[in-house]
Amino acid sequence: MTTRPAAGSGGGSAPRRSYDALLTDVEATLASGELAVGDQLPGERVLAGKYGISRASVREAIRILDAMGILQVPRNSGPRSGPLVIATPSKGLGSALRLHVAAKKLPVADIVETRILLEGWAARTSPERLGPEALQEAHGLLEAMDAPDIEPGAFHELDARFHVALSRLGGNVVIETMMEALGGAISGYIGDALATLGDAPTVLDELRGQHHSIFAAVSSGERDTAARLMGEHISWLHDRARSERE
């Protein structure tokens, strides 16, 4: 990693934080290919000396990059204890979306509408080019959700994974990442809804039927039908939960 000159140092710009040089350099070296997923950064002491900042500032920068899903902090200490470069973009996006949903700046209804748009697109995309194995994960999740004694919380976790698995069929990694983040942003809302809805067995049976209908349409290549069923499914639970809260 090579230190880059500070950007935006002209009059009127926000004060530069002590750890910004490290954040900027990580971004630049990732973009250039000098740093790649799987590489390990030096330890705190080396980074502090390289950038002329305190070890506390190094830790702050690493915490930020960890929250963004760029670095993973090892549990061990020693010469090979520097953070590892990873790539989990949905982690950072999901955390940010959850906070803004909690702050009421991103309405749950708009998140739901965005999910319908993205998942509808994925449902319209034929899985043939990805091969039959692409549907195996979704099918396995369906079978797990069919367990008659499953608890609502466990069902919700499998349901979220089922939606991500179907979004993966579109072959667009950005949409898959957005789906993971969006699902996480309203995970608490949906989990609470499943826990508080009356007659939980009936609700879960309804959701199971919707899941199977969507999967059948996707598997048989009925793209428009799959997209329509997906939209109806997502809206159904949101509307049901909202009516219970009102």
Side-chain angles (χ1 to χ4, degrees), residues 184-201:
I186 57 173
S187 176
Y189 174 89
I190 295 175
D192 290 345
L194 287 175
T196 58
L197 286 177
D199 194 10

Side-chain angles (χ1 to χ4, degrees), residues 129-188:
R129 62 191 175 98
L130 300 179
E133 66 279 359
L135 286 168
Q136 289 177 1
E137 180 185 2
H139 185 263
L141 292 166
L142 273 183
E143 291 184 331
M145 284 186 283
D146 283 343
D149 57 347
I150 191 169
E151 295 293 328
F155 184 95
H156 169 45
E157 181 180 344
L158 293 169
D159 173 73
R161 291 169 55 193
F162 174 74
H163 280 268
V164 172
L166 289 185
S167 73
R168 192 173 294 127
L169 296 177
N172 185 313
V173 70
V174 175
I175 285 182
E176 179 187 343
T177 299
M178 289 299 300
M179 271 305 307
E180 290 180 354
L182 288 169
I186 57 173
S187 176

Side-chain angles (χ1 to χ4, degrees), residues 31-57:
S32 69
E34 183 181 343
L35 189 65
V37 172
D39 289 346
Q40 193 164 27
L41 271 62
E44 280 183 14
R45 181 173 299 176
V46 175
L47 290 172
K50 180 175 183 177
Y51 294 99
I53 58 179
S54 68
R55 294 181 68 175
S57 293

Side-chain angles (χ1 to χ4, degrees), residues 88-102:
T88 53
S90 62
K91 178 182 178 181
L93 287 172
S95 296
L97 286 171
R98 281 196 303 274
L99 286 169
H100 289 297
V101 168

